[in-house]
Amino acid sequence: MQRGNEEATSGYEGPAAKRFKGGSYNMSGRESQEDRRNPSPSPVVHARGLNEATIEGDLVEAMQYFGKVRDVILMPQRKQALVEFEDIGSAKKCVEYAQTNAIFVAGVAASFNFSKRQKIRRPGNPDEAVPANHVLLFTILNPRYPITVEVVHAICSPYAKVVRTVIFRKTGVQCMVEFENVEA
């Protein structure tokens, strides 16, 4: 019984028929499976089927044959990772090779495809750094004597003119020191 052909010829509009209407999106507004599995080329490659014990070094070792790796983000609970290459050509080599050959990462065959991301973003990345600031936050661990505004001023003033100092004592001791300029 060929139910799929009967549905198409009978004008059936059930869930199976609706799923593929509207180009690359289904009726719920989500991308179709086909688009998720074949994203456009990107320098970032999505690795699936990794071992839970995989570390960044394992991925770099396996990927180095395709080009220079810029960054790696592991998602061990999902057994997945994102690998960013220096250039898109290296990522293309990796994905093309993985379509016909197994790539082993930490002894396990993994699957690779392009990621939707064009770049891996990490907090504190120097490429995305905020401009320099003239306020420093100090965290004092295990203070051996009382920390006062005068003590902090005495520590900081040899380096630059201190404009203001604020001390917080909620969880441990922290203080913010504002200097006259950024060069301090």
Side-chain angles (χ1 to χ4, degrees):
M1 178 175 188
Q2 294 180 345
R3 187 177 175 117
N5 289 341
E6 287 176 5
E7 290 171 354
T9 58
S10 69
Y12 173 72
E13 289 291 320
K18 288 182 180 179
R19 186 176 7 206
F20 297 106
K21 284 191 173 182
S24 64
Y25 291 86
N26 62 25
M27 293 301 286
S28 66
R30 293 185 177 159
E31 287 183 275
S32 68
Q33 285 289 80
E34 187 174 325
D35 292 332
R36 276 187 264 161
R37 301 251 164 115
N38 294 316
S40 56
S42 156
V44 180
V45 174
H46 181 217
R48 293 185 322 252
L50 301 172
N51 183 335
E52 287 179 354
T54 299
I55 59 173
E56 285 97 348
D58 297 330
L59 278 158
V60 171
E61 184 180 331
M63 301 288 99
Q64 69 185 349
Y65 303 104
F66 305 108
K68 186 167 172 142
V69 174
R70 177 178 287 164
D71 202 358
V72 175
I73 290 186
L74 285 174
M75 297 171 270
Q77 304 86 350
R78 296 175 149 183
K79 298 182 181 181
Q80 298 177 6
L82 294 175
V83 179
E84 181 180 349
F85 285 97
E86 289 283 330
D87 58 75
I88 198 165
S90 300
K92 283 182 180 179
K93 284 190 243 177
C94 173
V95 172
E96 288 170 6
Y97 182 86
Q99 288 175 350
T100 56
N101 302 288
I103 299 176
F104 288 88
V105 179
V108 175
S111 59
F112 294 86
N113 204 347
F114 294 112
S115 171
K116 292 181 193 176
R117 297 174 185 251
Q118 293 297 312
K119 183 176 180 155
I120 292 176
R121 287 178 176 51
R122 284 189 184 258
N125 188 347
D127 296 339
E128 302 164 7
V130 293
N133 195 332
H134 63 284
V135 178
L136 290 178
L137 174 66
F138 291 85
T139 302
I140 296 97
L141 304 173
N142 301 322
R144 296 183 184 199
Y145 51 88
I147 304 299
T148 64
V149 172
E150 291 79 21
V151 170
V152 174
H153 189 274
I155 293 169
C156 296
S157 60
Y159 301 100
K161 183 173 183 203
V162 176
V163 177
R164 190 177 352 201
T165 303
V166 179
I167 297 178
F168 305 94
R169 300 184 194 276
K170 285 190 176 182
T171 56
V173 179
Q174 288 188 315
C175 60
M176 291 176 60
V177 179
E178 180 180 356
F179 292 97
E180 193 171 55
N181 56 39
V182 175
E183 285 76 33

